[in-house]
Amino acid sequence: MSLINQMLKELDKRTPLATEAESGLPGGVVSVETRRSRGKVVWAALIVVLLVGGSMIWFFWPGHPAEERIGSITAAPPENSSGPSAISPTAPMPEQVPAEVEKKPPILENLQFSGNTEGLQVELVFSNMPNYRLIRDDQGRQLALELPAETAPPALPDTSGLPLLLKVAYEKSEGRARLVFVFDEICRHDELSLTANPGQEGQTLRFMIRPDAAAAHQEPVTEPVVAETPVEPADADQGHVPRSETSVAPEFILQAIQTTAGEQSEIICRDGISAFQQGRQREAETAWRAALAIDPGHVRSRDALIHLLLQQGRQSEIKSLLIEGVQKVPGHLPYRLRLARLLIDEDALSSARQELIREPRPSLTEAPDVYAMLATVSQRQGRYDEAAEIYRSLVGFRPKNGVWWMGLGIAFERSNSLDKAMEAYQKALSGEELSDGLRNFIRQRLAVLGQQASQEPDKERS
């Protein structure tokens, strides 16, 4: 109300009242006209105060958009001002503006490989982990690691002597960098892991490369066919309706991808291995037999089942599995060797011989064990000259094998070539891979042959 009183006083000064002498009225009496003029002034003052007060309340009410506008306006400093005093109170202080952190490009600091019996492990050490993507290409013979274009690799390591890997290359295309791993057979990758580098920034990416035996026998899959269905005119009377992209409804015909017998057997075989590792041997046997029923040539399932039966001493069933394995997978030599060894133990020498000379027959350098077993069979059948000929070839291929020199000595002794037998026995003793029992046997034969030579000095030796 102090504002209203002040305004009234100002108005009184601007419109002074007439004195009593001038108006001719007694003191304290005010004319009607003067009262009316004062009333109008009061009402005008009240209206002005209400308008000003309401405008200020509306303008400064919390949350009003005017607050946002005021806060976003920076007052311009006076022309003659300088230094810190010229900074507007509404402008943000310099320390309140966050500094933009510069993002460093990722660096591939190290790339190394380690091979083992299971496959090839790939390890990549990054200074800071970029976005990446692993893409299997060329039907499993290539694996591409896609990285941002600014990722610079280290010197690529030498891949000679590594399993599976032929080469690794670095290339750039379509705004991306790629590390391309090329394999000598169809492979798969798994066991992907991403770990922090100990004691420093960045992360390490690891994955395993393994041969994909199932995919190697997989038939090529036909790509999905996309057919466009033409749009017929809505009404024959309207004539031909031109085709347009908006009026064509594409129809996707997806062909079902059928797994091969080898793939199905591989899946069941893995289930059997898992059951066996958990001690459920009966369940494992059922799984492996089911896998062989689907694909009799699935070597992994047959090997696992033979191993289980061997632990349980079921020799007759092992023999049946080996016979079937030789028929279904004739090129798998371990089945032929194991079956021949079983037949030799049973003294079924003719059957063992047939298995060893079965086609496809490998060369001596490819499978010397097949020829060594054939020489043993020939020797037990009394074919000493044939056995000697095979043993000659074997010791020529591997001269330090003492067992083969001993076999040659036995063949010469049985064919009555005593000098050659003693020479072969001597080389056997200086050779390798002989047990103590075999060395004692050779010394005994040398002693016997020495006595015979001294007792029959005039006997012709051939």
Side-chain angles (χ1 to χ4, degrees):
M1 294 304 292
S2 60
L3 180 60
I4 298 174
N5 293 332
Q6 184 66 29
M7 292 182 66
L8 290 175
K9 290 179 181 180
E10 293 294 331
L11 289 173
D12 288 339
K13 290 179 182 180
R14 294 180 185 179
T15 313
L17 296 176
T19 62
E20 179 181 357
E22 293 174 349
S23 60
L25 296 175
V29 179
V30 182
S31 64
V32 175
E33 295 177 357
T34 304
R35 290 183 179 177
R36 289 177 179 175
S37 61
R38 285 186 177 181
K40 291 179 181 181
V41 171
V42 172
W43 280 109
L46 287 174
I47 292 172
V48 171
V49 171
L50 290 175
L51 289 175
V52 173
S55 299
M56 294 179 65
I57 293 173
W58 176 82
F59 193 80
F60 291 104
W61 190 263
H64 192 271
E67 288 186 350
E68 300 178 3
R69 292 197 298 271
I70 292 174
S72 63
I73 297 174
T74 303
E79 295 180 359
N80 59 353
S81 62
S82 62
S85 61
I87 299 176
S88 168
T90 58
M93 298 299 290
E95 60 270 13
Q96 295 175 344
V97 180
E100 183 178 356
V101 179
E102 182 181 359
K103 186 176 181 181
K104 297 180 180 179
I107 300 176
L108 179 52
E109 297 179 341
N110 191 19
L111 169 62
Q112 60 183 11
F113 305 94
S114 56
N116 52 40
T117 56
E118 296 184 358
L120 179 68
Q121 177 174 293
V122 183
E123 182 176 291
L124 305 100
V125 180
F126 291 91
S127 59
N128 52 305
M129 197 63 209
N131 294 327
Y132 68 89
R133 182 172 61 163
L134 281 169
I135 303 174
R136 194 181 185 199
D137 200 2
D138 193 17
Q139 298 181 352
R141 295 185 182 275
Q142 288 188 12
L143 181 66
L145 175 62
E146 275 200 357
L147 300 166
E150 64 271 17
T151 306
L156 298 179
D158 183 17
T159 59
S160 59
L162 291 174
L164 304 176
L165 188 63
L166 289 178
K167 66 177 182 177
V168 58
Y170 175 76
E171 59 186 35
K172 282 189 175 182
S173 63
E174 300 180 357
R176 299 285 287 178
R178 287 162 55 96
L179 277 174
V180 182
F181 306 90
V182 182
F183 311 114
D184 58 2
E185 59 180 289
I186 297 177
C187 295
R188 59 185 175 88
H189 64 280
D190 53 14
E191 295 187 8
L192 190 68
S193 66
L194 190 61
T195 57
N197 297 332
Q200 56 183 330
E201 297 181 355
Q203 291 178 301
T204 299
L205 175 66
R206 295 184 183 87
F207 54 89
M208 288 290 297
I209 305 297
R210 292 187 174 90
D212 195 347
H217 302 286
Q218 182 177 357
E219 298 178 358
V221 179
T222 305
E223 294 292 334
V225 178
V226 180
E228 291 188 352
T229 305
V231 178
E232 299 295 336
D235 192 347
D237 296 336
Q238 296 178 358
H240 176 69
V241 178
R243 292 179 59 184
S244 64
E245 294 183 359
T246 57
S247 62
V248 175
E251 178 184 354
F252 296 91
I253 302 174
L254 299 180
Q255 297 181 351
I257 301 176
Q258 296 182 352
T259 56
T260 64
E263 291 174 327
Q264 296 177 28
S265 296
E266 179 65 21
I267 294 173
I268 299 174
C269 177
R270 292 175 183 175
D271 293 339
I273 293 175
S274 177
F276 179 80
Q277 292 173 343
Q278 297 175 17
R280 305 194 306 271
Q281 295 188 356
R282 182 174 298 180
E283 183 178 338
E285 179 180 349
T286 301
W288 292 328
R289 290 191 183 277
L292 290 175
I294 296 174
D295 181 14
H298 196 258
V299 173
R300 193 179 182 190
S301 297
R302 192 175 298 275
D303 288 345
L305 184 56
I306 289 174
H307 177 75
L308 175 62
L309 297 179
L310 184 64
Q311 285 186 341
Q312 298 176 354
R314 296 155 67 178
Q315 294 293 335
S316 60
E317 296 180 62
I318 293 175
K319 183 179 178 181
S320 299
L321 283 172
L322 290 173
I323 293 173
E324 185 184 35
V326 169
Q327 294 173 351
K328 301 298 182 181
V329 197
H332 192 62
L333 294 179
Y335 290 160
R336 295 165 67 177
L337 286 171
R338 295 186 71 170
L339 178 58
R341 189 173 291 111
L342 281 178
L343 293 172
I344 292 172
D345 293 341
E346 296 175 356
D347 207 25
L349 300 178
S350 298
S351 298
R353 183 182 185 82
Q354 291 300 319
E355 294 299 334
L356 293 171
I357 63 175
R358 181 193 294 271
E359 295 294 338
R361 189 176 180 183
S363 65
L364 184 143
T365 56
E366 292 174 338
D369 291 342
V370 172
Y371 287 84
M373 194 171 294
L374 180 60
T376 300
V377 172
S378 299
Q379 195 144 268
R380 291 184 60 175
Q381 287 181 320
R383 302 181 181 186
Y384 301 120
D385 292 340
E386 181 181 310
E389 189 64 29
I390 297 175
Y391 278 125
R392 281 178 186 271
S393 300
L394 286 169
V395 296
F397 172 68
R398 198 175 293 167
K400 293 185 178 182
N401 191 303
V403 176
W404 292 346
W405 278 112
M406 181 189 69
L408 180 59
I410 294 173
F412 282 144
E413 183 180 358
R414 295 295 174 86
S415 61
N416 208 28
S417 299
L418 302 184
D419 289 343
K420 294 180 180 179
M422 293 180 67
E423 182 181 359
Y425 283 144
Q426 291 290 349
K427 289 185 177 181
L429 286 176
S430 62
E432 301 173 351
E433 302 182 18
L434 282 175
S435 64
D436 293 339
L438 292 179
R439 291 185 181 276
N440 291 333
F441 169 80
I442 293 171
R443 292 189 183 99
Q444 291 175 2
R445 297 316 306 162
L446 284 172
V448 171
L449 292 178
Q451 290 180 359
Q452 291 179 358
S454 62
Q455 292 175 1
E456 301 178 5
D458 297 330
K459 185 176 181 179
E460 182 179 356
R461 301 183 180 91
S462 55

